[in-house]
């Protein structure tokens, strides 16, 4: 994560990096993407969970706190699921021109999510 920040000059850091970033912890990476999950931290509690997308250098708030993020992972909205799976592509062969992506999900409780509109 810090490789993306270190590549910026001082002016770009002021413009692109939010103040809360300097008190955050990386808790995960979208595998193989260079995109990360971060938690804004304070002395007594953790706050909002963000996704950092290097393409466009975007910080997107996913949840107001870690507990709400876990709840969203367990019972996602279609918008949340779309965000979390947007970088996932699947190939049946080594021909990467024919890729599959997530268009829907049925969880173990039978809840269905349709991502065709996202």
């Amino acid at each position: 994560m810090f490789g993306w920040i270190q590549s910026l000059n001082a002016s770009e850091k002021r413009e692109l990096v939010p103040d809360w970033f300097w008190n955050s912890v990386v808790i995960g990476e979208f595998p193989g993407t260079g995109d990360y999950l971060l938690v804004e931290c304070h002395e007594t509690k953790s706050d909002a969970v963000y996704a950092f997308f290097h393409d466009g250098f975007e910080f997107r708030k996913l949840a107001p706190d870690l507990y709400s993020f876990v709840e969203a992972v367990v019972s996602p909205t279609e918008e949340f699921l779309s965000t979390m799976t947007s970088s996932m592509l699947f190939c049946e062969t080594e021909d990467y021109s024919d890729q599959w992506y997530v268009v829907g999900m049925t969880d173990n409780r039978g809840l269905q999510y349709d991502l065709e509109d996202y």
Side-chain angles (χ1 to χ4, degrees), residues 56-72:
F57 218 89
E58 176 188 3
F59 291 89
R60 187 179 310 164
K61 188 175 185 177
L62 299 178
D65 55 53
L66 192 55
Y67 182 83
S68 298
F69 176 75
V70 172
E71 282 185 327

Side-chain angles (χ1 to χ4, degrees), residues 2-116:
F2 290 105
W4 292 108
I5 305 302
Q6 291 173 341
S7 68
L8 301 173
N9 64 38
S11 175
E12 291 170 325
K13 284 180 186 176
R14 283 190 302 275
E15 179 184 340
L16 299 172
V17 180
D19 291 338
W20 59 261
F21 172 81
W22 305 106
N23 292 314
S24 67
V25 175
V26 174
I27 61 169
E29 178 184 6
F30 294 87
T33 64
D35 299 337
Y36 296 88
L37 292 170
L38 302 100
V39 175
E40 179 182 2
C41 296
H42 295 281
E43 289 182 22
T44 58
K45 63 180 178 123
S46 65
D47 280 336
V49 177
Y50 292 86
F52 167 75
F53 298 101
H54 77 278
D55 186 25
F57 218 89
E58 176 188 3
F59 291 89
R60 187 179 310 164
K61 188 175 185 177
L62 299 178
D65 55 53
L66 192 55
Y67 182 83
S68 298
F69 176 75
V70 172
E71 282 185 327
V73 169
V74 174
S75 297
T77 63
E78 289 169 341
E79 180 181 8
F80 183 86
L81 186 60
S82 178
T83 297
M84 296 303 290
T85 63
S86 64
S87 61
M88 298 173 69
L89 297 172
F90 305 94
C91 300
E92 291 183 0
T93 67
E94 297 209 14
D95 176 9
Y96 294 107
S97 65
D98 186 22
Q99 298 179 346
W100 299 80
Y101 59 94
V102 177
V103 295
M105 179 183 93
T106 302
D107 72 12
N108 63 328
R109 298 168 292 179
L111 298 174
Q112 295 183 344
Y113 306 89
D114 179 15
L115 302 184
E116 290 289 342

